[in-house]
Amino acid sequence: MAALPVPLLAPLLAVVLLLLAGCGGPGAAGQRRKEMVLSEKVNQLMEWASKRSVIRMNGDKFRRLVKAPPRNYSVIVMFTALQPHRQCVVCKQADEEYQILANSWRYSSAFTNKIFFAMVDFDEGSDVFQMLNMNSAPTFINFPAKGKPKRGDTYELQVRGFAAEQLARWVADRTDVHIRVIRPPNYAGPLMLGLLLAVIGGLVYLRGSNLDFLYNKTGWAFAALCFVLAMTSGQMWNHIRGPPYAHKNPHTGQVNYIHGSSQAQFVAETHIVLLFSILPGRSMWLVTVFC
Ligand SMILES: *[C@@H]1O[C@H](CO)[C@@H](O)[C@H](O)[C@H]1NC(C)=O
């Protein structure tokens, strides 16, 4: 067999090299590997997300699934300290709101693998806190699908508070995923309405079922008083913020009726306040109203 002339050999070699680099070369293999790692990560996260709405992460999981590329999903991470001995009252409240948000997403018809909700507890991943130079909890950070978190990816807790609705607005800003927050039902509103109707009904009954009481100053004074008491005890805030009636600590089983911070209150707390504003003043206003 005759040897190929040199001028023909060189381009042939070049073509072979190009083919090697293009189809079976390290570039394509890397791409395929990346794709495999990515789908493995997404599958893992989906499996966890199907079991609980907020995925608990330690340092290892955080580094592998949140920090390291490749990623095509956002992860919202709550950094917190929920162990009782940390005595972080705000952490517990923020956690409740975060669970409401994550649950609203998990059971939403719009649920996709574009975004995941996770948390790192200080006692399970203190190395992560160190790595991110974080020294306060709770902190919410969005780790976007591409690149590192930017300024706006850290939630401004001090400014916006930790209500699930506020968190949802921030998530929509950062990730374009819109979550409609669905809270467990709250019976305080109907209860107050019932109370008001009972009072009016009682007045009608006492007044002999006619509408004279509409012209009655006492009736109006009484209604105004009820209104003032309802407002000053925070019934309106209950409607706006929709807090739980009371908080039961899942670890100790102890029930709290008074909120730990001055930033919020439970429904039970407003009823206690209401009671306290009625009790000491009772004899006074009975005298003023009915004499
Ligand atoms: C991310 O990539 C994985 C693997 O290719 C894929 O299954 C998943 O649907 C992708 N997610 C999004 C939001 O495109």
Side-chain angles (χ1 to χ4, degrees), residues 35 38-39 42 72 113-114:
E35 192 61 34
L38 184 59
S39 71
V42 171
N72 63 353
N113 54 14
K114 253 177 89 174

Side-chain angles (χ1 to χ4, degrees), residues 23-169:
C23 313
Q31 193 60 40
R32 229 178 297 136
R33 215 186 94 73
K34 228 171 160 182
E35 192 61 34
M36 248 170 62
V37 172
L38 184 59
S39 71
E40 202 176 289
K41 281 162 86 170
V42 171
N43 285 344
Q44 177 72 87
L45 284 167
M46 283 301 272
E47 192 198 319
W48 283 332
S50 69
K51 287 199 193 113
R52 54 202 309 178
S53 40
V54 175
I55 301 167
R56 280 188 97 95
M57 288 191 177
N58 55 16
D60 278 349
K61 285 180 188 163
F62 177 82
R63 271 184 292 272
R64 193 162 60 84
L65 295 157
V66 180
K67 207 84 180 50
R71 266 185 298 127
N72 63 353
Y73 49 83
S74 300
V75 189
I76 308 287
V77 184
M78 172 177 69
F79 297 93
T80 189
L82 287 174
Q83 292 298 313
H85 70 273
R86 298 279 169 209
Q87 301 199 330
C88 176
V89 178
V90 190
C91 293
K92 282 183 199 125
Q93 296 155 3
D95 179 55
E96 273 167 29
E97 293 294 312
Y98 190 54
Q99 299 284 349
I100 290 174
L101 176 68
N103 270 325
S104 305
W105 174 238
R106 182 181 164 196
Y107 297 112
S108 145
S109 56
F111 181 84
T112 65
N113 54 14
K114 253 177 89 174
I115 180 175
F116 295 99
F117 289 92
M119 62 166 281
V120 177
D121 193 292
F122 183 77
D123 290 284
E124 291 161 18
S126 57
D127 46 337
V128 178
F129 278 70
Q130 259 170 28
M131 178 169 72
L132 297 174
N133 237 336
M134 192 154 3
N135 47 26
S136 74
T139 302
F140 294 92
I141 300 182
N142 166 43
F143 291 84
K146 291 226 156 40
K148 291 203 164 88
K150 304 192 177 52
R151 234 183 108 86
D153 286 319
T154 302
Y155 180 71
E156 290 181 300
L157 192 83
Q158 302 295 335
V159 180
R160 306 178 71 165
F162 44 67
E165 288 80 4
Q166 287 290 346
L167 284 165
R169 228 164 279 161

